[in-house]
Amino acid sequence: MNVYDCGNDLAKAIRESHEFKKLKEAKAALDPQGKEMADKFIRLNMEAQMMQAQGKEPEKSVTEEIQNVYKILALNSAAMEYLNSFMRFNMMMNDIMKNIEGVIKEVTE
């Protein structure tokens, strides 16, 4: 088994996955304003999660901004579909990365 071939097969499988296809469809259906708001929500949410991972509580202004952006997104069905598709795709990719990280830990710990 060639690892590089497996990597190429994995990339192909990701592209053929339901999650990838739904994310591409949702992205194509977005208007520029919806994409901007969804990206802003994702960015703010990631910042808050990184702070929590570091043992810090996100500032109140950040959590309020996340809530406000989400309320606006909720009014745009295409933006919500994109956001939901992004989250499902991200979960799949995180699961794949956990598998790869497990192999890396075997030789680095």
Side-chain angles (χ1 to χ4, degrees), residues 12-39:
K12 182 180 177 187
I14 290 170
R15 284 187 190 97
E16 292 174 355
S17 72
H18 175 75
E19 292 83 357
F20 182 84
K21 290 176 182 177
K22 291 300 282 186
L23 180 57
K24 281 192 79 163
E25 289 172 11
K27 184 178 178 183
L30 266 181
D31 61 14
Q33 185 180 11
K35 173 91 167 75
E36 182 181 329
M37 292 303 292
D39 287 345

Side-chain angles (χ1 to χ4, degrees), residues 18-93:
H18 175 75
E19 292 83 357
F20 182 84
K21 290 176 182 177
K22 291 300 282 186
L23 180 57
K24 281 192 79 163
E25 289 172 11
K27 184 178 178 183
L30 266 181
D31 61 14
Q33 185 180 11
K35 173 91 167 75
E36 182 181 329
M37 292 303 292
D39 287 345
K40 183 176 183 178
F41 177 82
I42 291 166
R43 181 181 43 80
L44 289 169
N45 205 31
M46 290 176 117
E47 287 175 14
Q49 287 177 356
M50 284 194 315
M51 289 181 77
Q52 289 174 332
Q54 296 171 350
K56 300 175 186 173
E57 191 66 31
E59 295 179 20
K60 186 177 180 182
S61 62
V62 173
T63 56
E64 287 175 353
E65 188 172 6
I66 290 170
Q67 291 170 353
N68 290 335
V69 171
Y70 186 81
K71 287 177 187 176
I72 294 168
L73 280 173
L75 301 173
N76 184 330
S77 62
M80 285 303 294
E81 180 62 31
Y82 172 76
L83 184 60
N84 290 330
S85 295
F86 178 86
M87 292 167 132
R88 285 190 295 275
F89 179 77
N90 201 36
M91 285 174 46
M92 178 186 72
M93 293 305 298

